[in-house]
Amino acid sequence: MIRRLTKHDHDQLFSFLQKEPSFNLFIIGDIESFGYDADFQEIWGELDETGNLKAVLLRYYNSFIPYAQGDFDVEVFATLIQQTNVFPFILSGKSSIVERFEQWLTLGNKRVMYFCECDTDEYANEYANQMDYSIEIKKATLEDVDRIIELRQRIAEFATAPRTRESLAKSLETKTGRTYYIEQDGNMVASASTTAENSLSAMIVGVCTDEAHRQKGYASAIMTKLIQDLISEGKTLCLFYDNPQAGSIYKRLGFRDIGTWTMYL
């Protein structure tokens, strides 16, 4: 049976999602932030004959994320996506789950990324002991949003979507994200952000350094600060990467690969 879940299903749902909390950080974060009654968000669950959850599907605006731990009714979930009449839509999730939809839906461009997590500050603390302490790392406020966007736009390989500014401002307002940055002579030259922060985890995004200020350890310094702060709050850090060189940098700070994440845009 597949039905829409409500607040009465919350305990069972979170117990199910916490079996792989990093892969479910977007679902967990959206439910904690917006609950079960928002018009832009729905979550369906497939239950077995004894009432236990087998799979879930989240809709957040035009984005859909499925999650399951075994076999589930992909065809019915695909039909649910079509029946929402939300087009175009984004489908994303753990690769082994989301790629099952390829035979049932007409999907957009496919992108597969490595998914990694960090649940220790051991390596970040070691790096911090070697850092140049003249580097001052600041925490952004709403007044810094345009400066963050301007920094990202100066970087050729860094794409900014039309809703990036809105999403960044909303994450700061709702405390579901934060941005740390470094500036030189009054100009922001490096930054890194979190998004989808919830009670268990946070996603690292927007790690960037102005081309004229690279090879100074700025990005690693900011990442170190993020790791130390979030780990101290009891949260696991997650991030995507598709550049092996970038991946090696993250791994030196304690990240480890846990799988891949596929998006259809």
Side-chain angles (χ1 to χ4, degrees):
M1 177 180 67
I2 294 177
R3 63 173 173 82
R4 185 169 176 177
L5 302 182
T6 71
K7 61 183 179 181
H8 301 294
D9 301 296
H10 183 81
D11 290 344
Q12 183 184 182
L13 174 60
F14 264 57
S15 178
F16 181 71
L17 296 173
Q18 286 174 17
K19 293 175 182 177
E20 289 190 290
S22 293
F23 275 111
N24 290 314
L25 87 166
F26 294 114
I27 301 178
I28 292 170
D30 287 342
I31 292 172
E32 287 185 346
S33 296
F34 308 113
Y36 297 87
D37 300 319
D39 59 2
F40 56 82
Q41 177 167 291
E42 300 169 283
I43 186 159
W44 294 276
E46 179 181 357
L47 296 93
D48 64 20
E49 60 278 1
T50 61
N52 293 316
L53 274 172
K54 294 178 59 179
V56 299
L57 175 69
L58 171 79
R59 178 185 73 86
Y60 177 78
Y61 289 102
N62 70 327
S63 295
F64 294 85
I65 302 176
Y67 176 71
Q69 293 179 352
D71 292 332
F72 66 102
D73 198 332
V74 183
E75 183 180 6
V76 173
F77 274 173
T79 300
L80 278 172
I81 292 173
Q82 292 173 320
Q83 289 176 343
T84 61
N85 291 317
V86 178
F87 299 102
F89 62 83
I90 299 168
L91 179 67
S92 65
K94 188 177 181 181
S95 297
S96 60
I97 297 167
V98 76
E99 290 177 359
R100 302 184 203 181
F101 286 81
E102 290 180 355
Q103 66 174 307
W104 302 106
L105 293 170
T106 300
L107 299 168
N109 294 327
K110 182 177 181 178
R111 182 183 180 190
V112 181
M113 297 169 287
Y114 294 102
F115 192 109
C116 60
E117 68 175 12
C118 176
D119 56 10
T120 176
D121 59 5
E122 177 185 356
Y123 300 97
N125 291 339
E126 289 178 4
Y127 183 85
N129 291 332
Q130 305 166 22
M131 277 175 45
D132 177 357
Y133 282 92
S134 66
I135 299 174
E136 183 181 4
I137 300 171
K138 299 181 178 180
K139 187 174 182 179
T141 67
L142 277 172
E143 295 178 355
D144 297 306
V145 168
D146 287 332
R147 299 175 68 209
I148 298 166
I149 299 300
E150 288 167 7
L151 167 62
R152 295 179 181 180
Q153 291 175 338
R154 293 200 304 270
I155 300 170
E157 66 270 25
F158 207 100
T160 54
R163 290 185 59 191
T164 299
R165 189 192 185 284
E166 177 187 348
S167 298
L168 182 59
K170 187 174 183 178
S171 71
L172 293 175
E173 288 176 334
T174 59
K175 300 189 186 303
T176 56
R178 68 188 82 181
T179 296
Y180 292 165
Y181 68 92
I182 294 170
E183 61 182 3
Q184 292 290 333
D185 301 321
N187 296 313
M188 190 178 293
V189 298
S191 73
S193 304
T194 64
T195 189
E197 282 200 35
N198 58 65
S199 58
L200 301 175
S201 55
M203 176 65 68
I204 303 293
V205 296
V207 181
C208 60
T209 304
D210 187 291
E211 190 171 356
H213 293 272
R214 294 179 181 176
Q215 307 302 318
K216 298 179 181 179
Y218 288 170
S220 294
I222 295 173
M223 285 292 295
T224 296
K225 174 67 172 169
L226 279 172
I227 292 169
Q228 290 176 318
D229 286 0
L230 288 162
I231 292 295
S232 72
E233 296 170 15
K235 297 180 181 182
T236 298
L237 292 84
C238 306
L239 59 81
F240 302 130
Y241 74 90
D242 49 19
N243 180 335
Q245 183 177 358
S248 65
I249 294 171
Y250 300 135
K251 289 173 184 177
R252 288 201 295 270
L253 292 172
F255 284 87
R256 60 185 179 87
D257 291 339
I258 59 171
T260 57
W261 184 270
T262 298
M263 297 183 68
Y264 301 90
L265 300 164

